Amino acid sequence: MVVASCKAMDGIGNTMQKKAAELERMAEVLVTGEQLRLRLHEGKVVKDRRHHLRTYPNCFVAKELIDWLLEHKEASDRDTAIRIMQKLLDQSIIHHVCDEHKEFKDMKLFYRFRKDDGTFPLDNEAKVFMRGQRIYEKLMMNTETSILATREEEGETFERTLVASELVDWLLAEGEMATREEAEHLGRRLLEHGIMQHVTNKQHFVDGGLLYQFRLNFRRRRRLMELLNERCRTIPESHDSPFCLRKQNPEGGNTSFLSVSPTKEMKMIVGIRRSSMSSSCGSSGYYSSSPTLSSSPPVLCNPKSVLKRQVSPEELQTPGGPYIKKTFTIVGDAVGWGFVVRGSKPCHIQAVDPSGPAAAAGMKVCQFVVSVNGLNVLSLDYRTVSNLILTGPRTVVMEVMEEADY
């Protein structure tokens, strides 16, 4: 009876692991599709197009996209590119603008990302995935108070681990869950969906002293060929984003950015997305590496303020002064809000991701932050303002002041 019971438990465990692996593959498709969407928006491949006197917003031409994939070495030939896009179509990441074609064709047909027209199916799996991604990003960005640490269990050392009870405490403190029972249930859902795992894969999620890790690294840049499970060169795993905004030529007119990896290997890219509200930085700049993952020093990005001179709150609010107020409503996406706050009393916008939500709303560098979701922040520093945004709702309303362009 004992042997039979053990076999039954092993069978349940294997079934759960298979289901988790299945959901993990689905999550990888979602992340890969979102990264592609952001790149295509930044490259102006996705845009409003007209056909027969009708405008189709936020769409791309299939034939042009295949050309783009080949040009950016995301596919070896047109047939492979079609297979990649068909995978995204089958997973409801993209669709034909009129839903007349269930196959992705190398023709002058309009397709669109479902996230761009609000038709993405938010089933239970997708909701758990998005919840897990938000928790992952908040934990990674709040490094000063992070509950992630290197710990031991059963004589082995594991990096970036979470103690289950501490995660439950954090979820309650962050307002993610109302009760410990609900937080534990969420932990179990994240584990069942392949987003988290017990460090030795022996336990389900329990509100106690066991150690868990994130199974998915949401920040790793995916290659599209990975969707086909083909062997390809991938960017090494890292729990930190390998990208940070860094002007190549601060004194010149070049507005490209560099991709900086923890190994200091660099290559040219244009406006790669990154999570923008990292609070692991000093007041002189912001960083993109972790001392727990590498012994090399962090890479310093944008070490100098973009401001020509510091402005006081009183000067900003002087009646008839040279500053005008603007209000932005910014809806964060799966990666973040797309801007960096720096400075103190008042804070200013240090960098804006050209393909992010903030840029789309009209935010620009050198603007001064007046309020966040109705709270006046003129007397606060950037760490406090960043924390207000990170711990608030996905939609943030910001008032800023900028110098009038007379």
Side-chain angles (χ1 to χ4, degrees):
M1 289 293 292
V2 174
V3 173
S5 176
C6 289
K7 287 183 178 179
M9 289 298 292
D10 288 342
I12 294 172
N14 291 335
T15 301
M16 189 172 73
Q17 286 185 16
K18 288 179 180 178
K19 179 66 173 175
E22 206 175 291
L23 292 168
E24 182 183 6
R25 284 193 293 272
M26 181 199 76
E28 288 287 350
V29 174
L30 293 176
V31 175
T32 305
E34 177 62 10
Q35 290 180 353
L36 176 62
R37 185 184 76 88
L38 295 170
R39 291 175 66 192
L40 294 179
H41 272 279
E42 192 278 331
K44 301 295 188 289
V45 179
V46 171
K47 58 185 178 182
D48 295 353
R49 300 174 186 271
R50 287 184 64 81
H51 181 66
H52 288 172
L53 302 179
R54 179 179 174 184
T55 298
Y56 296 87
N58 292 324
C59 62
F60 58 87
V61 179
K63 192 174 186 66
E64 291 179 7
L65 177 59
I66 291 177
D67 293 339
W68 186 92
L69 293 175
L70 295 176
E71 179 185 346
H72 289 77
K73 302 189 186 314
E74 290 288 358
S76 55
D77 51 60
R78 301 191 80 82
D79 287 342
T80 302
I82 292 171
R83 289 170 58 206
I84 289 171
M85 298 311 297
Q86 184 64 44
K87 182 82 170 180
L88 295 179
L89 193 148
D90 292 341
Q91 296 294 322
S92 296
I93 306 296
I94 64 172
H95 68 124
H96 179 254
V97 291
C98 298
D99 291 319
E100 294 176 355
H101 298 276
K102 300 302 180 185
E103 295 181 353
F104 191 86
K105 299 180 179 180
D106 187 1
M107 299 172 62
K108 291 184 178 180
L109 296 174
F110 291 170
Y111 291 83
R112 182 186 292 129
F113 283 87
R114 288 189 177 276
K115 189 170 180 180
D116 285 334
D117 62 11
T119 62
F120 182 75
L122 282 176
D123 55 18
N124 289 333
E125 280 73 21
K127 288 178 180 177
V128 173
F129 162 78
M130 294 176 71
R131 190 72 174 275
Q133 185 174 27
R134 185 172 78 242
I135 291 170
Y136 175 96
E137 290 294 344
K138 288 177 73 173
L139 284 170
M140 291 298 172
M141 289 185 284
N142 282 304
T143 54
E144 290 183 346
T145 57
S146 178
I147 57 176
L148 295 167
T150 300
R151 299 181 176 92
E152 289 188 4
E153 184 167 299
E154 297 183 2
E156 290 187 62
T157 301
F158 301 92
E159 290 187 342
R160 291 295 179 101
T161 62
L162 297 153
V163 178
S165 59
E166 291 183 7
L167 177 60
V168 169
D169 292 338
W170 183 87
L171 290 170
L172 296 175
E174 291 292 316
E176 291 286 344
M177 289 287 124
T179 65
R180 299 194 74 84
E181 290 74 17
E182 291 177 359
E184 184 180 50
H185 179 69
L186 175 60
R188 298 176 72 85
R189 293 276 285 164
L190 294 176
L191 189 142
E192 291 165 1
H193 283 70
I195 296 170
M196 290 180 62
Q197 64 182 8
H198 178 249
V199 290
T200 60
N201 283 320
K202 293 180 180 179
Q203 301 288 339
H204 211 314
F205 188 88
V206 181
D207 182 5
L210 294 176
L211 301 183
Y212 297 84
Q213 292 173 314
F214 278 96
R215 183 170 177 172
L216 278 180
N217 177 8
F218 291 96
R219 295 185 177 186
R220 178 178 69 85
R221 181 181 172 189
R222 273 73 173 171
R223 295 298 302 271
L224 294 175
M225 292 284 284
E226 294 178 49
L227 293 175
L228 305 179
N229 293 322
E230 296 182 18
R231 295 182 64 181
C232 61
R233 183 180 178 184
T234 60
I235 295 174
E237 282 284 345
S238 167
H239 283 277
D240 290 302
S241 170
F243 304 110
C244 63
L245 291 175
R246 179 181 179 181
K247 285 289 182 70
Q248 183 199 16
N249 184 8
E251 297 179 359
N254 193 325
T255 58
S256 298
F257 293 87
L258 289 178
S259 166
V260 184
S261 72
T263 59
K264 298 184 181 179
E265 180 183 351
M266 298 183 181
K267 65 178 181 179
M268 182 62 65
I269 60 171
V270 180
I272 284 290
R273 296 297 312 281
R274 72 182 291 275
S275 288
S276 56
M277 303 312 305
S278 174
S279 60
S280 61
C281 327
S283 60
S284 60
Y286 50 98
Y287 303 83
S288 67
S289 68
S290 168
T292 62
L293 292 180
S294 172
S295 58
S296 60
V299 180
L300 179 63
C301 307
N302 284 5
K304 295 182 180 179
S305 171
V306 295
L307 298 178
K308 294 180 180 178
R309 69 180 184 89
Q310 184 62 37
V311 176
S312 68
E314 292 75 23
E315 186 176 351
L316 282 179
Q317 299 176 93
T318 301
Y323 296 95
I324 59 174
K325 183 179 291 187
K326 291 187 176 181
T327 302
F328 302 124
T329 300
I330 306 168
V331 181
D333 61 18
V335 184
W337 292 268
F339 65 96
V340 176
V341 177
R342 284 295 174 266
S344 177
K345 301 178 182 181
C347 300
H348 65 272
I349 305 301
Q350 174 76 2
V352 178
D353 180 348
S355 63
M363 181 173 282
K364 300 176 182 178
V365 296
C366 296
Q367 292 172 333
F368 295 96
V369 184
V370 176
S371 71
V372 174
N373 294 328
L375 178 66
N376 189 296
V377 297
L378 284 172
S379 61
L380 303 180
D381 64 12
Y382 79 92
R383 294 179 186 275
T384 306
V385 173
S386 296
N387 192 54
L388 280 173
I389 297 170
L390 283 169
T391 57
R394 180 182 175 190
T395 299
V396 58
V397 179
M398 295 183 63
E399 286 186 341
V400 302
M401 300 282 280
E402 69 176 19
E403 197 164 2
D405 186 15
Y406 294 114

PDB file of all heavy atoms in Angstrom, residues 196-211:
ATOM      1  N   MET A 196       7.037  29.737 -11.301  1.00  0.00           N
ATOM      2  CA  MET A 196       7.925  29.516 -10.167  1.00  0.00           C
ATOM      3  C   MET A 196       8.129  28.023  -9.986  1.00  0.00           C
ATOM      4  O   MET A 196       7.404  27.205 -10.554  1.00  0.00           O
ATOM      5  CB  MET A 196       7.332  30.126  -8.881  1.00  0.00           C
ATOM      6  CG  MET A 196       7.306  31.623  -8.837  1.00  0.00           C
ATOM      7  SD  MET A 196       6.590  32.227  -7.273  1.00  0.00           S
ATOM      8  CE  MET A 196       7.778  31.564  -6.093  1.00  0.00           C
ATOM      9  N   GLN A 197       9.120  27.691  -9.168  1.00  0.00           N
ATOM     10  CA  GLN A 197       9.354  26.278  -8.862  1.00  0.00           C
ATOM     11  C   GLN A 197      10.051  26.160  -7.516  1.00  0.00           C
ATOM     12  O   GLN A 197      10.743  27.079  -7.074  1.00  0.00           O
ATOM     13  CB  GLN A 197      10.228  25.629  -9.934  1.00  0.00           C
ATOM     14  CG  GLN A 197      11.634  26.205 -10.015  1.00  0.00           C
ATOM     15  CD  GLN A 197      12.468  25.581 -11.114  1.00  0.00           C
ATOM     16  OE1 GLN A 197      11.960  24.816 -11.918  1.00  0.00           O
ATOM     17  NE2 GLN A 197      13.755  25.920 -11.156  1.00  0.00           N
ATOM     18  N   HIS A 198       9.838  25.011  -6.858  1.00  0.00           N
ATOM     19  CA  HIS A 198      10.630  24.700  -5.671  1.00  0.00           C
ATOM     20  C   HIS A 198      12.049  24.439  -6.131  1.00  0.00           C
ATOM     21  O   HIS A 198      12.275  23.896  -7.219  1.00  0.00           O
ATOM     22  CB  HIS A 198      10.047  23.477  -4.961  1.00  0.00           C
ATOM     23  CG  HIS A 198      10.825  23.055  -3.769  1.00  0.00           C
ATOM     24  ND1 HIS A 198      11.553  21.887  -3.731  1.00  0.00           N
ATOM     25  CD2 HIS A 198      11.027  23.669  -2.567  1.00  0.00           C
ATOM     26  CE1 HIS A 198      12.153  21.781  -2.560  1.00  0.00           C
ATOM     27  NE2 HIS A 198      11.852  22.842  -1.838  1.00  0.00           N
ATOM     28  N   VAL A 199      13.051  24.855  -5.339  1.00  0.00           N
ATOM     29  CA  VAL A 199      14.440  24.814  -5.801  1.00  0.00           C
ATOM     30  C   VAL A 199      14.895  23.409  -6.198  1.00  0.00           C
ATOM     31  O   VAL A 199      15.784  23.254  -7.039  1.00  0.00           O
ATOM     32  CB  VAL A 199      15.395  25.399  -4.735  1.00  0.00           C
ATOM     33  CG1 VAL A 199      15.204  26.903  -4.616  1.00  0.00           C
ATOM     34  CG2 VAL A 199      15.226  24.708  -3.388  1.00  0.00           C
ATOM     35  N   THR A 200      14.301  22.370  -5.596  1.00  0.00           N
ATOM     36  CA  THR A 200      14.666  21.006  -5.983  1.00  0.00           C
ATOM     37  C   THR A 200      13.505  20.270  -6.652  1.00  0.00           C
ATOM     38  O   THR A 200      13.571  19.058  -6.861  1.00  0.00           O
ATOM     39  CB  THR A 200      15.143  20.199  -4.749  1.00  0.00           C
ATOM     40  OG1 THR A 200      14.082  20.139  -3.779  1.00  0.00           O
ATOM     41  CG2 THR A 200      16.371  20.831  -4.125  1.00  0.00           C
ATOM     42  N   ASN A 201      12.444  21.023  -6.986  1.00  0.00           N
ATOM     43  CA  ASN A 201      11.268  20.453  -7.655  1.00  0.00           C
ATOM     44  C   ASN A 201      10.618  19.314  -6.871  1.00  0.00           C
ATOM     45  O   ASN A 201      10.031  18.408  -7.457  1.00  0.00           O
ATOM     46  CB  ASN A 201      11.638  19.948  -9.061  1.00  0.00           C
ATOM     47  CG  ASN A 201      11.789  21.066 -10.059  1.00  0.00           C
ATOM     48  OD1 ASN A 201      11.003  22.019 -10.055  1.00  0.00           O
ATOM     49  ND2 ASN A 201      12.811  20.972 -10.887  1.00  0.00           N
ATOM     50  N   LYS A 202      10.700  19.398  -5.552  1.00  0.00           N
ATOM     51  CA  LYS A 202      10.138  18.316  -4.729  1.00  0.00           C
ATOM     52  C   LYS A 202       8.856  18.723  -4.007  1.00  0.00           C
ATOM     53  O   LYS A 202       8.153  17.868  -3.475  1.00  0.00           O
ATOM     54  CB  LYS A 202      11.173  17.857  -3.693  1.00  0.00           C
ATOM     55  CG  LYS A 202      12.394  17.180  -4.282  1.00  0.00           C
ATOM     56  CD  LYS A 202      13.362  16.761  -3.188  1.00  0.00           C
ATOM     57  CE  LYS A 202      14.595  16.075  -3.759  1.00  0.00           C
ATOM     58  NZ  LYS A 202      15.558  15.695  -2.693  1.00  0.00           N
ATOM     59  N   GLN A 203       8.567  20.029  -3.966  1.00  0.00           N
ATOM     60  CA  GLN A 203       7.454  20.487  -3.149  1.00  0.00           C
ATOM     61  C   GLN A 203       6.550  21.429  -3.929  1.00  0.00           C
ATOM     62  O   GLN A 203       7.004  22.146  -4.821  1.00  0.00           O
ATOM     63  CB  GLN A 203       7.982  21.232  -1.906  1.00  0.00           C
ATOM     64  CG  GLN A 203       8.892  20.419  -1.014  1.00  0.00           C
ATOM     65  CD  GLN A 203       8.157  19.351  -0.239  1.00  0.00           C
ATOM     66  OE1 GLN A 203       6.939  19.434  -0.058  1.00  0.00           O
ATOM     67  NE2 GLN A 203       8.882  18.355   0.240  1.00  0.00           N
ATOM     68  N   HIS A 204       5.259  21.403  -3.563  1.00  0.00           N
ATOM     69  CA  HIS A 204       4.333  22.413  -4.060  1.00  0.00           C
ATOM     70  C   HIS A 204       4.558  23.675  -3.220  1.00  0.00           C
ATOM     71  O   HIS A 204       5.370  23.692  -2.309  1.00  0.00           O
ATOM     72  CB  HIS A 204       2.891  21.931  -3.936  1.00  0.00           C
ATOM     73  CG  HIS A 204       1.987  22.479  -5.002  1.00  0.00           C
ATOM     74  ND1 HIS A 204       1.983  23.800  -5.367  1.00  0.00           N
ATOM     75  CD2 HIS A 204       1.053  21.872  -5.800  1.00  0.00           C
ATOM     76  CE1 HIS A 204       1.102  23.998  -6.321  1.00  0.00           C
ATOM     77  NE2 HIS A 204       0.527  22.847  -6.614  1.00  0.00           N
ATOM     78  N   PHE A 205       3.864  24.754  -3.549  1.00  0.00           N
ATOM     79  CA  PHE A 205       4.046  25.994  -2.802  1.00  0.00           C
ATOM     80  C   PHE A 205       3.265  25.919  -1.496  1.00  0.00           C
ATOM     81  O   PHE A 205       2.051  25.693  -1.487  1.00  0.00           O
ATOM     82  CB  PHE A 205       3.566  27.200  -3.618  1.00  0.00           C
ATOM     83  CG  PHE A 205       3.904  28.515  -2.956  1.00  0.00           C
ATOM     84  CD1 PHE A 205       5.125  29.128  -3.196  1.00  0.00           C
ATOM     85  CD2 PHE A 205       3.017  29.126  -2.084  1.00  0.00           C
ATOM     86  CE1 PHE A 205       5.457  30.329  -2.593  1.00  0.00           C
ATOM     87  CE2 PHE A 205       3.336  30.329  -1.467  1.00  0.00           C
ATOM     88  CZ  PHE A 205       4.564  30.929  -1.727  1.00  0.00           C
ATOM     89  N   VAL A 206       3.989  26.140  -0.388  1.00  0.00           N
ATOM     90  CA  VAL A 206       3.395  26.112   0.949  1.00  0.00           C
ATOM     91  C   VAL A 206       3.906  27.312   1.725  1.00  0.00           C
ATOM     92  O   VAL A 206       5.100  27.645   1.666  1.00  0.00           O
ATOM     93  CB  VAL A 206       3.766  24.813   1.693  1.00  0.00           C
ATOM     94  CG1 VAL A 206       3.122  24.800   3.080  1.00  0.00           C
ATOM     95  CG2 VAL A 206       3.341  23.581   0.900  1.00  0.00           C
ATOM     96  N   ASP A 207       3.030  27.977   2.437  1.00  0.00           N
ATOM     97  CA  ASP A 207       3.379  29.144   3.249  1.00  0.00           C
ATOM     98  C   ASP A 207       4.227  28.684   4.428  1.00  0.00           C
ATOM     99  O   ASP A 207       3.727  28.355   5.495  1.00  0.00           O
ATOM    100  CB  ASP A 207       2.108  29.836   3.742  1.00  0.00           C
ATOM    101  CG  ASP A 207       2.401  31.092   4.561  1.00  0.00           C
ATOM    102  OD1 ASP A 207       3.575  31.477   4.660  1.00  0.00           O
ATOM    103  OD2 ASP A 207       1.441  31.691   5.081  1.00  0.00           O
ATOM    104  N   GLY A 208       5.557  28.656   4.214  1.00  0.00           N
ATOM    105  CA  GLY A 208       6.480  28.177   5.241  1.00  0.00           C
ATOM    106  C   GLY A 208       7.901  28.562   4.897  1.00  0.00           C
ATOM    107  O   GLY A 208       8.147  29.577   4.253  1.00  0.00           O
ATOM    108  N   GLY A 209       8.837  27.724   5.316  1.00  0.00           N
ATOM    109  CA  GLY A 209      10.248  28.055   5.159  1.00  0.00           C
ATOM    110  C   GLY A 209      10.930  27.474   3.944  1.00  0.00           C
ATOM    111  O   GLY A 209      12.160  27.599   3.817  1.00  0.00           O
ATOM    112  N   LEU A 210      10.198  26.844   3.033  1.00  0.00           N
ATOM    113  CA  LEU A 210      10.815  26.256   1.849  1.00  0.00           C
ATOM    114  C   LEU A 210      11.245  27.342   0.857  1.00  0.00           C
ATOM    115  O   LEU A 210      10.695  28.449   0.844  1.00  0.00           O
ATOM    116  CB  LEU A 210       9.838  25.293   1.166  1.00  0.00           C
ATOM    117  CG  LEU A 210       9.469  24.045   1.975  1.00  0.00           C
ATOM    118  CD1 LEU A 210       8.415  23.230   1.238  1.00  0.00           C
ATOM    119  CD2 LEU A 210      10.700  23.184   2.251  1.00  0.00           C
ATOM    120  N   LEU A 211      12.218  26.984   0.016  1.00  0.00           N
ATOM    121  CA  LEU A 211      12.783  27.933  -0.946  1.00  0.00           C
ATOM    122  C   LEU A 211      12.214  27.719  -2.346  1.00  0.00           C
ATOM    123  O   LEU A 211      12.044  26.580  -2.798  1.00  0.00           O
ATOM    124  CB  LEU A 211      14.308  27.789  -1.007  1.00  0.00           C
ATOM    125  CG  LEU A 211      15.085  28.016   0.294  1.00  0.00           C
ATOM    126  CD1 LEU A 211      16.580  27.915   0.032  1.00  0.00           C
ATOM    127  CD2 LEU A 211      14.731  29.356   0.908  1.00  0.00           C
TER     128      LEU A 211
END
